[in-house]
Amino acid sequence: MTPLERGWERYHGGPFRAIDDRLHVTLNHRGLLLMNAAVYKLMDKPTAVLLYYNRDQDKIAVEPADFRAAEAYPIRYNRTDYRVYALSFCRYFGIRFAVTHKMLTPEITDDRRLILDLRNTTPIFTKKQLRTGEL
């Protein structure tokens, strides 16, 4: 197959699949990490998590933890998703997004850690952002 001419952009978001059929994780400009029920269940439904950052690989590891640990971030349920308010973590490591980014390849390891590759994301926009041009 011959390559396309210049100017073509590939869409990396993939086809729409029901939220229950996929691992869905996003991170926004306020450090809010959202995960769907599928991710939460594969992590064995933790009450809190520890967060790690690998600068060389630009990856975040989310590890289930006891909510009593001083550095543990509690997980909050919000009707359709599970939330980790990680702004202090993101600020400390200089992790910044202008808009919400969907993780394209969230991975759950055998020991229930969630690995997020920040080099493999796609921005997602709200209807308001698209309408007003706040991109």
Side-chain angles (χ1 to χ4, degrees):
M1 187 175 293
T2 61
L4 291 171
E5 305 135 23
R6 283 179 54 153
W8 289 94
E9 296 181 45
R10 182 175 173 189
Y11 174 64
H12 295 280
F16 179 80
R17 292 191 327 229
I19 195 87
D20 295 338
D21 296 338
R22 60 188 158 114
L23 301 181
H24 183 77
V25 181
T26 63
L27 181 63
N28 75 10
H29 67 285
R30 293 187 183 117
L32 176 59
L33 180 71
L34 294 180
M35 59 186 124
N36 70 348
V39 172
Y40 184 69
K41 287 175 189 172
L42 286 172
M43 291 182 72
D44 210 18
K45 301 180 181 179
T47 57
V49 293
L50 298 174
L51 301 175
Y52 301 87
Y53 182 62
N54 183 313
R55 292 177 199 269
D56 295 333
Q57 296 180 14
D58 204 17
K59 291 183 179 182
I60 296 173
V62 183
E63 179 181 68
D66 187 318
F67 72 93
R68 293 172 288 198
E71 61 276 352
Y73 288 81
I75 294 180
R76 308 229 190 265
Y77 175 67
N78 187 33
R79 288 200 258 157
T80 59
D81 55 49
Y82 296 84
R83 298 173 175 220
V84 177
Y85 293 92
L87 183 59
S88 59
F89 169 82
C90 291
R91 282 186 177 163
Y92 181 82
F93 288 108
I95 300 167
R96 292 185 182 92
F97 288 130
V99 296
T100 301
H101 276 248
K102 173 184 168 185
M103 304 297 143
L104 295 177
T105 56
E107 173 191 349
I108 303 288
T109 64
D110 292 339
D111 49 0
R112 302 179 334 217
R113 288 184 182 104
L114 171 63
I115 307 297
L116 305 173
D117 184 351
L118 298 180
R119 294 178 185 163
N120 198 6
T121 69
T122 191
I124 53 177
F125 304 101
T126 64
K127 289 179 185 177
K128 179 183 175 188
Q129 288 169 324
L130 291 171
R131 187 176 59 249
T132 62
E134 297 176 32
L135 308 177

